[in-house]
Amino acid sequence: MFGFILQRLWQAIIVVIAMSALVFCGVYAVGNPIDVLISPDATQDIRAAVIAQYGLDQPLWQQYLTFIGRILHGDFGRSFVYSMPVSELILSRLPATLELTLVAVLFASLVGIPIGMYAGYKPHSPISRAIMALSILGFSVPTFWFGLMLIMVFAVQCGCMPAGGRGDTVSLFGVDFSFLTFDGLSHLVLPALNLSLFKFSLMIRLARAGTRELMLSDTVKFARAAGLSEFTLLSRHVLRLISIPLVTVFGLELGSTLAFAVVTETIFSWPGLGKLIINSITSLDRPVMVAYLMLVALLFIVINLVVDLTYALLDPRLRKGRA
């Protein structure tokens, strides 16, 4: 197990180094932030002074080495637009995005998996057919359209839900949470539903396919012959056997939801990283763009590492085969 962990950590370090170079070169090849930072009427002397101030007069390789050196000291630079350290700026927005993402993915998993297992357990019942139709709808409907419909129905027509914002928050261990207040929870419901739509449908179909396949296997037949109840069969055996693909999807969807919550945060004016990166792209705020993309890449790497370790815990054969 120790060798397995070291192997995964070494692979993660290589990926982080490669991603840092790709992200830095990709972002710094797009646009010129000087055109946004200073007035077009500025003199050449002022323009040259601003370029030197931000180190943009240096060769790209030298800027990259400076960037790596700062990262090793925990310094991601200063935002061109907000004039504050990028790390502080991202940390101020990260809790809102994390809260929204975790609520959406947990809802999709905790509700979608049992529903999908029921659809696989009784595939020909009317309820199961309705569940599968709902999952197809979740795959087909665009996220932005579904979000606008939620706002129109529940915020505009019914007036029972707020249309946007985060609402009241409560500070816990120095971090603001909105789900701990009624107003904040009401602001969280619609964006979380919108963000969880695709994940919810995906969990339903995966759980349904895995359960359907296992219900026809000899494992289930022998378990029934041993006198196990249907609830024990589903909760202790079927759920465990289908857990590996579900863990994979949960990990990947957690990372992708965190990275691509931009549309939902924009529609519902959620003050998270999604709105921050959109504003940064518009204003060519390079330090924020690089730090955001590096954070996303690092999150994917960490999540994949955790998923691999979870594999080894769920199935010892994987641990012995890869060690």
Side-chain angles (χ1 to χ4, degrees):
M1 186 65 179
F2 182 71
F4 178 79
I5 295 175
L6 285 181
Q7 180 185 3
R8 287 295 177 265
L9 288 175
W10 174 244
Q11 293 174 353
I13 291 173
I14 295 176
V15 173
V16 168
I17 295 174
M19 283 301 302
S20 68
L22 291 174
V23 166
F24 187 86
C25 295
V27 169
Y28 275 70
V30 178
N32 186 2
I34 298 300
D35 297 333
V36 180
L37 291 174
I38 62 177
S39 171
D41 300 330
T43 64
Q44 289 298 322
D45 293 338
I46 296 177
R47 187 180 183 89
V50 173
I51 291 176
Q53 177 185 351
Y54 290 105
L56 301 177
D57 57 336
Q58 300 174 353
L60 184 61
W61 64 269
Q62 191 171 350
Q63 294 184 46
Y64 175 70
L65 292 179
T66 303
F67 167 71
I68 293 297
R70 288 176 176 175
I71 284 184
L72 293 177
H73 290 85
D75 181 12
F76 287 89
R78 295 182 66 86
S79 169
F80 293 163
V81 177
Y82 296 94
S83 298
M84 63 181 297
V86 173
S87 56
E88 294 182 9
L89 182 61
I90 288 181
L91 288 176
S92 66
R93 303 291 189 93
L94 184 59
T97 299
L98 281 177
E99 181 180 38
L100 177 61
T101 300
L102 288 175
V103 171
V105 175
L106 286 176
F107 170 79
S109 302
L110 296 178
V111 179
I113 292 175
I115 291 178
M117 291 181 65
Y118 177 84
Y121 179 65
K122 294 185 176 181
H124 303 297
S125 68
I127 296 178
S128 298
R129 296 181 187 276
I131 291 172
M132 297 311 296
L134 178 64
S135 69
I136 294 174
L137 182 66
F139 280 119
S140 306
V141 175
T143 302
F144 69 90
W145 182 86
F146 185 67
L148 293 175
M149 291 301 101
L150 288 176
I151 292 175
M152 187 182 71
V153 173
F154 294 101
V156 178
Q157 299 294 334
C158 300
C160 58
M161 291 288 181
R166 196 180 180 193
D168 297 334
T169 60
V170 172
S171 180
L172 184 63
F173 304 111
V175 180
D176 292 334
F177 294 97
S178 58
F179 74 95
L180 296 176
T181 66
F182 179 79
D183 181 64
L185 186 61
S186 64
H187 282 78
L188 181 61
V189 170
L190 293 186
L193 282 176
N194 184 63
L195 191 59
S196 67
L197 177 64
F198 178 82
K199 289 77 183 171
F200 177 70
S201 303
L202 184 60
M203 288 295 183
I204 287 178
R205 298 188 74 85
L206 282 174
R208 191 260 184 191
T211 303
R212 181 60 180 159
E213 181 180 358
L214 285 173
M215 294 307 295
L216 301 175
S217 66
D218 292 336
T219 303
V220 172
K221 294 178 181 178
F222 288 133
R224 282 173 170 165
L228 295 179
S229 65
E230 294 297 301
F231 178 79
T232 302
L233 176 66
L234 290 171
S235 61
R236 293 187 180 180
H237 297 278
V238 174
L239 180 59
R240 182 178 179 83
L241 290 173
I242 67 173
S243 59
I244 288 183
L246 292 178
V247 167
T248 305
V249 173
F250 181 87
L252 294 177
E253 288 302 315
L254 179 61
S256 63
T257 305
L258 184 63
F260 305 115
V262 177
V263 175
T264 297
E265 291 188 358
T266 303
I267 292 174
F268 291 93
S269 300
W270 189 263
L273 290 176
K275 283 184 64 64
L276 176 63
I277 191 60
I278 288 295
N279 296 335
S280 300
I281 292 173
T282 304
S283 58
L284 291 178
D285 197 349
R286 285 180 176 178
V288 176
M289 295 165 61
V290 171
Y292 173 81
L293 293 174
M294 284 294 298
L295 175 64
V296 170
L298 184 61
L299 284 173
F300 268 101
I301 292 169
V302 171
I303 289 172
N304 285 333
L305 177 61
V306 172
V307 168
D308 282 342
L309 296 179
T310 306
Y311 278 177
L313 293 175
L314 291 175
D315 192 345
R317 295 173 301 174
L318 299 174
R319 181 170 66 246
K320 293 178 181 178
R322 297 182 185 180

